[in-house]
């Protein structure tokens, strides 16, 4: 992987970059749609590329490992071949899902044992086998196995957990560096900063993670319930320590406002289920504010879903029609709303990049975060 | 509406025709995808037109009347404007849904009272108000209000029901002919032959329906559980009575095999939920047989969904991937399988038309019904 900074903003820590992977180049800052089980829910691969203009998507190691399973993915020739998405993919390490989805899990030095949320079967994730699993899945960027602490979190627990995450990282790197990709293209491993909302832990973790000198770095353990100001404070602190020349990935963030604020703090990559999950519940993000399309007020509003958008679905369908579809639990409602939100998120980071290059990012960002937060 | 017979087959009663409506021309024989609540489930309007090459879709009066309701549809300017489908639409009369979906319904001479399956509210459908409702929905082709008898059905009940359907038809025609379309284009009313599986009743009904001299005629009350030979026998009997110069619509039929057999008997128009509903359960129709994509045997089959198809989804996605999506209850699974099945149904009737024009329809049909019925 190769990362080039194209422009660094004068009035903030925002940056515009170019990330090159064997599956294509990514313009940063970028938002990565979440494709949990090898599919971005309700969206065709063709729509992801042509309508949403996604440049990289996420897969979840936990889900893919359980279903369809490694045997099928390996026989397919990796996730790209399995799901027909020929562009870059990033996989998380499965750690977050072990903690959030499994009924029973136990974390110890060796790794995490858990029961499948699908069939109750028992499994063990270790730093080593999570590397092996991500070799089989074959994403361009893979993540270290970490523990994501909840919020709020006791200081002592946060410290011990962070220290274990650092030890696990050493094991991840050892395994990753002694193995090779299975499908003839390169993979790169990103480590993850933890430390909950404690400044000294975050500082210590960022310094430790930076010392591993991987090709990119991630910030985990945020957007787990803490107030936004705390998220921004931790992100700023960590970004100031992580190397400037490498991409920074803030995991699981966030609202359109969160994303612009964190771009200003120096983050290059984002992922979040919000645009897809909230779409299915009728929440639409637009540059003028948030629409709850299920509200009675849209019942007879026959204007296009988003007049400012060049997306097919935003032009052809009306607010009243989308409301009807979601009220009636029609699949097409989920399809349209998801297309809209993902297209908006990708438009937003593209605009941010444009303004970073133009040199007026901060003025634009300050206006956008006010506008986008309104309730329409 | 204008209907022209292009070619009549020498070896069967199959015909190739052209039906002109104010929203476009339809090549017959045709299959009409079912868009119950104003949406063909899991399919974008753009996909319907460009990928599936649908020429006309169905809407259900019962569903649209209950949700979004007539007020919204009228304010939108009719169903075409409401859902963004600019091509022909046909609506059924709601009769079938009253009998199949409502918990409580009562049929008397005046009409049918029923409780909404959504909120339990009480409603009355009469021949007159069903015409008014379909004026508001604004489909190009609308259906008479009838009673669809179940199978099996007592002779006496079938006769009385048929006679009432005929009296209701008179009331439908009186109302339809004394009103006008609301949106500046023409609508046409198709009456429906009933009579269950009794030859004398079917004959009597077909003669009565023909005597109304509407622009097209429909055959109802079949594909409700009777054996296929009975369905074919009734269809043949009725087609021999209904006027040759007008389109014949066989309601709710059927499998790909049923459709080819009934084209041979002189049917021009079909609709059925089978390609869409069965798709969501993993049943795929192909020219070489039926695939249950959830079967273990497809788990590691990385061949395209259908190698003989020119559909995007059939080429880009593999059987193993589609199986994974449906096993995981992913929305994209429903999307892909629905696209496949509808594309196949539309391909099938297009091929049928081609062979009718070429003059080798029967030979082709006889081979296809054997091939398509196989279990792959």
């Amino acid at each position: 992987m190769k990362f080039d900074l194209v422009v660094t903003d004068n009035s903030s820590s925002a940056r515009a970059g170019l990330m090159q992977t064997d599956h294509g180049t990514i313009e940063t800052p970028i938002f990565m749609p979440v494709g949990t089980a090898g599919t971005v829910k309700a969206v065709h691969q063709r729509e992801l590329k042509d309508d949403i203009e996604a440049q990289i998507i996420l897969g979840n190691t936990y889900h893919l490992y359980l279903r369809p399973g490694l045997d099928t993915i390996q026989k397919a020739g990796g996730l790209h071949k399995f799901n027909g998405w020929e562009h870059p993919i990033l996989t998380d390490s499965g750690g977050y899902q072990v903690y959030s989805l499994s009924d029973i899990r136990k974390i110890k030095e060796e790794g995490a044992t858990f029961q499948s949320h699908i069939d109750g079967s028992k499994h063990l994730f270790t730093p080593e086998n999570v590397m092996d699993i991500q070799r089989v899945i074959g994403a361009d960027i893979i993540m270290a196995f970490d523990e994501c602490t909840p919020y709020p979190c006791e200081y002592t627990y946060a410290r011990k957990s962070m220290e274990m995450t650092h030890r696990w990282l050493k094991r991840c790197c050892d395994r990753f560096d002694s193995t090779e990709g299975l499908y003839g293209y390169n993979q790169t491993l990103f480590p993850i900063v933890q430390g909950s909302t404690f400044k000294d832990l975050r500082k210590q973790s960022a310094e430790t993670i930076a010392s591993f000198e991987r090709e990119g770095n991630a910030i985990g353990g945020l957007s787990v319930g803490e107030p936004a100001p705390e998220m921004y404070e931790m992100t700023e602190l960590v970004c100031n320590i992580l190397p400037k020349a490498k991409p920074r990935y803030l995991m699981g963030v966030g609202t359109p406002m969160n994303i612009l604020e964190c771009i200003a703090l120096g983050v290059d990559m984002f992922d979040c289920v919000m645009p897809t999950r909230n779409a299915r519940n009728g929440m639409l993000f637009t540059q003028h504010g948030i629409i709850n399309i299920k509200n009675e007020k849209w019942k007879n509003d026959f204007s296009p879903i988003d007049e400012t958008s060049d997306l097919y679905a935003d032009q052809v369908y009306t607010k009243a029609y989308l409301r009807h579809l979601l009220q009636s639990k029609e699949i097409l409602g989920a399809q349209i709303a998801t297309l809209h939100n993902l297209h908006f998120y990708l438009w937003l980071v593209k605009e941010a990049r444009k303004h970073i290059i133009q040199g007026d990012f901060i003025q634009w960002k300050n206006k956008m975060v006010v506008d986008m937060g309104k309730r329409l």
Side-chain angles (χ1 to χ4, degrees), chain A:
Chain A
M1 197 207 71
K2 191 166 169 288
F3 182 67
D4 292 301
L5 279 180
V6 177
V7 169
T8 305
D9 190 31
N10 284 327
S11 317
S12 76
S13 299
R15 316 105 64 77
L18 282 177
M19 235 169 119
Q20 285 168 42
T21 76
D22 286 350
H23 283 96
T25 299
I26 301 153
E27 297 181 329
T28 63
I30 192 68
F31 178 81
M32 305 180 283
V34 177
T36 308
T39 159
V40 176
K41 290 186 197 303
V43 181
H44 277 288
Q45 273 59 318
R46 177 174 72 176
E47 294 170 329
L48 268 178
K49 188 73 190 100
D50 298 339
D51 294 297
I52 292 164
E53 299 183 29
Q55 300 183 39
I56 172 171
I57 64 171
L58 234 76
N60 285 123
T61 288
Y62 170 91
H63 288 90
L64 293 165
Y65 162 81
L66 291 178
R67 200 168 51 190
L70 297 187
D71 175 56
T72 294
I73 294 177
Q74 183 153 10
K75 282 181 178 149
L79 183 56
H80 296 84
K81 289 272 192 295
F82 181 65
N83 72 2
W85 172 256
E86 296 168 347
H87 312 283
I89 299 179
L90 180 151
T91 42
D92 70 2
S93 66
Y96 183 77
Q97 278 74 32
V98 167
Y99 313 129
S100 62
L101 286 180
S102 296
D103 279 340
I104 301 163
R105 78 272 183 186
K106 200 168 176 180
I107 302 162
K108 42 187 183 176
E109 190 65 28
E110 182 194 9
T113 51
F114 62 96
Q115 279 200 336
S116 159
H117 73 291
I118 299 167
D119 63 5
S121 55
K122 281 187 187 157
H123 303 269
L124 168 67
F125 273 176
T126 67
E128 290 80 10
N129 77 8
V130 163
M131 293 302 99
D132 298 343
I133 292 168
Q134 290 184 94
R135 284 293 195 195
V136 172
I137 297 173
D140 301 273
I141 303 172
I142 75 172
M143 302 303 299
F145 191 58
D146 65 338
E147 184 183 2
C148 177
T149 47
Y151 179 88
C153 183
E154 291 282 331
Y155 181 86
T156 312
Y157 187 88
R159 182 174 56 73
K160 286 187 176 166
S161 167
M162 177 200 74
E163 287 164 357
M164 188 180 66
T165 286
H166 295 166
R167 290 191 298 275
W168 281 4
L169 175 58
K170 174 75 171 66
R171 290 166 57 191
C172 286
C173 292
D174 287 349
R175 184 60 151 246
F176 182 81
D177 293 338
S178 64
T179 55
E180 288 199 342
L182 303 180
Y183 311 114
Y185 52 82
N186 290 297
Q187 297 182 281
T188 189
L189 169 66
F190 281 18
I192 304 171
V193 174
Q194 288 290 347
S196 186
T197 49
F198 304 104
K199 289 190 205 176
D200 63 325
L201 297 185
R202 282 286 170 183
K203 178 171 180 292
Q204 190 187 331
S205 188
E207 286 166 351
T208 305
I209 264 48
S211 75
F212 277 83
E213 298 189 343
R214 307 305 306 188
E215 294 181 307
N217 297 293
I219 310 169
L222 293 176
S223 201
V224 291
E226 78 284 0
E230 276 197 89
M231 184 215 296
Y232 298 145
E233 192 183 3
M234 295 301 128
T235 301
E236 184 170 21
L237 186 158
V238 171
C239 283
N240 286 338
I241 297 169
L242 292 178
K244 281 202 168 54
K246 294 175 182 176
R248 301 171 186 140
Y249 163 30
L250 179 56
M251 305 181 77
V253 173
T255 67
M257 292 69 83
N258 293 158
I259 287 176
L260 291 198
E261 294 295 2
C262 293
I263 287 174
L265 300 174
V267 174
D268 307 295
M269 302 163 68
F270 299 88
D271 81 283
C272 190
V273 295
M274 191 173 273
T276 38
R277 182 177 294 164
N278 291 21
R280 299 195 297 279
N281 295 321
M283 183 189 274
L284 305 182
F285 298 99
T286 80
Q287 55 177 308
H288 301 300
I290 294 164
I291 291 175
N292 181 347
I293 199 70
K294 286 186 175 177
N295 280 351
E296 182 76 16
K297 69 178 287 193
W298 310 111
K299 187 172 166 56
N300 291 328
D301 187 323
F302 303 107
S303 64
I305 293 172
D306 190 342
E307 273 148 343
T308 66
S309 157
D310 62 358
L311 177 71
Y312 153 80
D314 283 335
Q315 297 166 341
V316 165
Y317 304 116
T318 65
K319 296 184 181 75
Y321 182 57
L322 179 55
R323 177 182 188 273
H324 161 65
L325 294 177
L326 286 164
Q327 289 285 38
S328 307
K329 299 185 172 44
E330 286 287 346
I331 296 175
L332 186 60
Q335 294 175 246
I336 294 171
T338 304
L339 271 182
H340 167 84
N341 275 355
L342 285 180
H343 177 267
F344 175 70
Y345 266 63
L346 268 295
W347 172 87
L348 187 68
V349 292
K350 197 173 188 175
E351 282 290 301
R353 191 173 197 275
K354 195 181 82 184
H355 287 284
I356 293 167
I357 292 171
Q358 279 178 200
D360 61 353
F361 171 73
I362 281 293
Q363 298 89 310
W364 173 80
K365 185 270 288 181
N366 287 342
K367 182 183 179 320
M368 287 298 286
V369 295
V370 174
D371 288 354
M372 293 188 304
K374 289 177 186 156
R375 293 273 165 177
L376 297 181

